[in-house]
Amino acid sequence: MDRRKILLDADVGIDDAIAMLHLAGRSDVELLAVGSVHGNIPADLAAVNARHLLELCGLDDVPVAYGARQPMAQPLATAEWVHGEDGLGNTNQPAPKRGPVAEDAVSQILRLTREMPGEIDLLAVGPLTNLGLALCLDPELAGRVRSVVVMGGAIAHEGNASATAEANIWHDPEAANLVFGAEWPVTMVGLDVTQVTRLRTKELAEIEAIGSVRSKFALKVLSHYLDVYQRTFGTRECPLHDPLAAGIVADPTYMTEWLDRAVEVNTTGPTRGATIIDRRAWMAPAADARETRERNGGKDATPPLVRVPMKVDGPRFVADLIASLK
Ligand code: RIB
Ligand code: CA
């Protein structure tokens, strides 16, 4: 089987951890390396959490690199109230056996994509600071990457970090504009699909029935996350932001409806961090415009087209997620 080679960039909090468990349990992906980034928690703690997750999954040899400790143009802000002081729902996990590598996350992205041009899929489930910095250091990076899947943004859905902004984009809007403006095939998995793809009572019971090390860990860290979302939804269920993006990088057919549009991130005023696309029907590009552009090498005067899923096959994805915890 042709396994997707994935380079993960993450602010390893609770849903990032579930995404890592899912990747580790899929036979169609190979996790090459992980880079940490600020966001849910400080970047250095996210790196420690990534190491812990890899060791839990028997992926001890996958390297973890420290990434950006702050956004490009705004102060650091973290979200321990959602993810716990340790980023893993205050579950007091043991220290990992190994530490992160000496190479930083941006250098790791540049080096691995030079060693394996055209083979790597970048999966970014935190703020886009590392990817933005990597593009600034080496604009040719875009041409060496097979695809980029970002968990972030919101089109028709309201924001979760502000009225209009999704958290990962809100944490570093300048970096997000660099990523959406580069000539590489980006899929933006936003709140329109992640907020409605959820674990509910039935699925939580299915995970409990598995009884594996990974399923037990998942339920333990999810407890805090479910407490937080119970206050929002009124019921004990939670969205699957990062896990869905991880699923889509492995199997894009989870997406059933999408828009291919230029994405611009607003960087001023109260809607800073909002992701804006032109949804007017008469402005829609041809259905195959994104593929044509890729074939032509993007020598176009117009901004790149980002794929934005608006509907996914949620039940199939959730079933696969549960199966991956066995
Ligand atoms: O908005 C959801 C995103 O913000 C997820 O990546 C979550 O982990 C947080 O980083
Ligand atoms: Ca995340």
Side-chain angles (χ1 to χ4, degrees):
M1 183 194 283
D2 179 21
R3 295 199 299 160
R4 294 218 171 212
K5 294 186 172 68
I6 294 175
L7 179 42
L8 174 67
D9 203 83
D11 55 340
V12 190
I14 295 172
D15 61 325
D16 309 67
I18 304 298
M20 288 183 73
L21 294 176
H22 180 52
L23 290 172
R26 290 191 71 117
S27 56
D28 52 359
V29 304
E30 178 189 358
L31 187 55
L32 291 180
V34 182
S36 78
V37 67
H38 67 88
N40 293 328
I41 50 175
D44 289 6
L45 180 54
V48 172
N49 288 351
R51 278 247 49 94
H52 181 71
L53 261 294
L54 292 170
E55 290 177 13
L56 184 88
C57 296
L59 297 173
D60 300 38
D61 293 340
V62 175
V64 175
Y66 287 122
R69 296 183 171 98
Q70 61 181 51
M72 289 187 171
Q74 68 187 36
L76 174 69
T78 48
E80 284 83 358
W81 68 278
V82 180
H83 296 269
E85 289 305 313
D86 59 359
L88 295 175
N90 297 326
T91 51
N92 297 317
Q93 298 298 325
K97 287 182 279 188
R98 280 193 219 168
V101 293
E103 185 179 47
D104 66 85
V106 174
S107 304
Q108 182 172 259
I109 293 172
L110 296 176
R111 178 180 57 77
L112 286 172
T113 55
R114 282 184 193 126
E115 288 172 5
M116 288 174 263
E119 291 184 40
I120 293 179
D121 296 287
L122 285 179
L123 171 61
V125 295
L128 296 170
T129 319
N130 290 334
L131 272 64
L133 288 170
L135 283 166
C136 289
L137 281 168
D138 181 1
E140 288 179 10
L141 165 67
R144 298 197 298 273
V145 170
R146 181 179 174 191
S147 79
V148 184
V149 173
V150 170
M151 189 283 128
I155 299 302
H157 202 282
E158 70 269 19
N160 60 356
S162 75
T164 53
E166 181 281 330
N168 287 338
I169 307 300
W170 177 87
H171 278 289
D172 198 339
E174 282 74 16
N177 266 334
L178 289 168
V179 171
F180 296 138
E183 202 61 64
W184 52 8
V186 180
T187 298
M188 186 187 96
V189 183
L191 296 179
D192 301 275
V193 285
T194 67
Q195 191 81 1
V196 293
T197 306
R198 297 183 188 173
L199 286 179
R200 301 186 164 89
T201 318
K202 175 178 159 288
E203 291 84 21
L204 291 165
E206 283 173 30
I207 295 175
E208 191 158 14
I210 296 172
S212 68
V213 172
R214 292 181 201 183
S215 67
K216 285 183 189 155
F217 176 87
L219 284 179
K220 203 168 178 190
V221 296
L222 278 168
S223 175
H224 181 87
Y225 203 56
L226 286 160
D227 288 345
V228 172
Y229 276 103
Q230 187 157 8
R231 294 199 284 274
T232 310
F233 297 147
T235 46
R236 198 149 181 82
E237 56 191 64
C238 67
L240 292 166
H241 302 299
D242 296 349
L244 180 61
I248 286 174
V249 74
D251 181 358
T253 69
Y254 290 124
M255 297 188 283
T256 53
E257 281 180 32
W258 59 83
L259 299 166
D260 288 339
R261 297 285 191 283
V263 173
E264 193 172 342
V265 181
N266 186 27
T267 55
T268 57
T271 57
R272 178 172 160 81
T275 42
I276 298 153
I277 67 168
D278 192 339
R279 296 175 70 199
R280 292 174 295 176
W282 65 92
M283 296 297 286
D288 62 350
R290 195 172 190 256
E291 286 74 16
T292 307
R293 189 186 180 100
E294 251 182 74
R295 276 199 303 277
N296 297 342
K299 307 272 177 283
D300 215 313
T302 56
L305 299 173
V306 173
R307 181 149 296 174
V308 183
M310 299 304 286
K311 291 221 170 100
V312 294
D313 186 347
R316 181 164 73 90
F317 168 68
V318 173
D320 290 349
L321 171 67
I322 294 170
S324 71
L325 300 174
K326 285 183 179 155

